[in-house]
Amino acid sequence: MTERPSAREVVALVSDDFSEIPYPARQSKSDGPLAWQGYDASRARAAERTGEDESVICGTARVEGTRAVLIAFEFGFLGGSLGERTGDRLEAAYTYAREHRLPVVPLVATGGSRMQEGMLALTQLQRVARQSALTREAGLPQIAVLRDPTTGGGWATLGAGADVILALPGAQVGFAGSRVRPPDADPSAYTAEAQVAAGAADAVVRPDELRRTLGMWLRLLTRPSAGTTDAPTTEAAPVHRHPAPAGTHPTPPDTTGAGHPPPQAEPAPVPAPLGTTDLPATGWDAVRRARSVERPRAAAYLDAYFTHRAAVSGDRCGGVDPGMLCGFGERGGRTIAYAAQTGTATRPAGYRTATRLIRLAERLGIPVLTLVDTPGAANDAEAERQGAGAAIADLFTTVASARIPITTLLIGEGGSGGALALAAPGATYATPDSYFSVIAPELAAAILKRPREEVEATADQLRIRPQDLVELGVIVHPEGSSPS
């Protein structure tokens, strides 16, 4: 990016009524804690040039109607670097947000920690990390906007540590700044676009769309999930709460430190089936229908179900799986999180992204809808190197231990543990265009050393039709329908 808007210009871009919060006073030694010669003069020149007396401004504002705490970096002030006074302001901003139950929006543009303050500047990252952690525990969302540049500790705390990460086009984003990278480093790897591709950020947003996008995210993540909702029986099956783990209480604990627990979320209504409504006659008929290219896929269900939705992307470990759609959507004035397989073999990054989504939804008290549709987990060598087993195990554990309602709809193929990991025990439903199996019929026949002509009979033996799954107690019996 060639233009670097000031902190106040960025605040004005996303809000109309910014009001700064009080800043703590700090008496510093001449030329700072290290007595760095000329430091006071550098600060004075930066203040004269920018009109600010520190590298961040913090305050409250309404973004498309939602009040939030905004933290805007002024890159023109010593490169937006973090020093002791910066840490004071950041701590005050996060504390104010928790006291007033407000989300936090860092608008980041920084080169890292301030060299003139040495290790005392670097330890401000620990202060920021602590404040971010307390804000997470309080059930408040953090949505970061990465400007140019976002490097060093600012990226590794305020940026990468946020729940949702948006970035402006062409912004330089990376832990290593341009002057400290290897001389042969590919500059394209240190961009907003590269971070999204690597699963480290969620989306690149143009400046003219930033206010609307940020406003939508704030509405989705701060709207209480409890309250009235449309009756699920008008759509499909009755919805059941996801059971709490043994030995626990179903009500989320008060982790806010202010006596304000996250709202008790109501379950997500089950989306109505979009395909045919007649049940498959045989096991192989169920397989054939689930694999049909004409069957509705996850995107069609999500589009029909939500008024609007916003996606999160990436596992924050270097991976993205286009076959796992995750995000938050609005339905009937409520926010519901979703994780949906799209019919492809799910990659380890897909499982990790779904796990990240469910954990965020749980912190915010938002119910989750999962759509199962995969022939199974990816089983190539690269998937093994990327930790497929650990990723699936983590998702199983996250779903099993969740204290928010998780509702699952099987919309196509349910291939073995790679599909079951996304399914909620006791709250899984199925469309007529689906099957769930311990293993694909073809593979079952091969393992049993049966000829190919016995694959269809094997499918019947596995009892994989939706009505078979109801009889077996694997899925919930839709009210008023016949299991036969």
Side-chain angles (χ1 to χ4, degrees), residues 274-276 278 280 286 289-290 295-296 301 411-413 431-435 466:
L274 300 182
T276 59
D278 57 308
R289 286 169 56 169
R295 171 182 58 80
Y301 278 90
I411 64 171
E413 291 195 81
T431 69
D433 294 323
S434 66
Y435 78 88

Side-chain angles (χ1 to χ4, degrees), residues 455-478:
V455 169
E456 295 186 18
T458 302
D460 280 332
Q461 283 185 287
L462 288 169
R463 299 196 65 194
I464 60 179
R465 301 175 302 169
Q467 59 267 44
D468 297 326
L469 301 173
V470 169
E471 290 183 353
L472 293 170
V474 176
I475 66 171
V476 177
H477 183 3

Side-chain angles (χ1 to χ4, degrees), residues 66-275:
T66 302
R67 191 164 171 249
V69 168
L70 304 186
I71 298 171
F73 278 74
E74 176 52 70
F75 188 78
F77 192 100
L78 301 181
S81 57
L82 280 75
E84 286 185 302
R85 291 183 181 177
T86 322
D88 292 342
R89 292 190 175 197
L90 294 173
E91 184 172 308
Y94 275 99
T95 301
Y96 187 96
R98 291 194 300 276
E99 290 174 347
H100 295 82
R101 304 295 303 162
L102 297 175
V104 179
V105 179
L107 302 162
V108 190
T110 175
S113 300
R114 196 167 297 172
M115 291 179 296
Q116 296 92 331
E117 297 186 22
M119 278 302 299
L120 291 178
L122 190 64
T123 58
Q124 300 310 303
L125 303 181
Q126 294 173 318
R127 292 179 73 186
V128 174
R130 173 63 175 164
Q131 293 304 312
S132 177
L134 290 173
T135 304
R136 281 172 175 258
E137 291 175 6
L140 298 170
Q142 300 170 65
I143 305 172
V145 176
L146 312 182
R147 298 154 54 208
D148 184 51
T150 298
T151 60
W155 161 232
T157 52
L158 290 149
D163 299 314
V164 175
I165 304 172
L166 309 176
L168 295 179
Q172 178 188 170
V173 179
F175 187 66
S178 59
R179 298 184 182 181
V180 297
R181 299 172 195 155
D184 59 347
D186 179 5
S188 66
Y190 303 85
T191 63
E193 289 77 6
Q195 297 294 350
V196 171
D202 293 297
V204 173
V205 182
R206 297 200 315 262
D208 60 342
E209 296 179 346
L210 184 58
R211 180 187 291 230
R212 180 189 62 82
T213 302
L214 186 56
M216 179 174 62
W217 270 114
L218 287 168
R219 288 194 303 275
L220 287 171
L221 299 187
T222 59
R223 179 184 293 116
S225 294
T228 60
T229 181
D230 49 352
T233 52
T234 64
E235 284 222 70
V239 183
H240 299 273
R241 281 190 187 280
H242 183 51
T248 64
H249 193 278
T251 303
D254 178 5
T255 58
T256 66
H260 297 284
Q264 177 64 55
E266 293 296 325
V270 181
L274 300 182

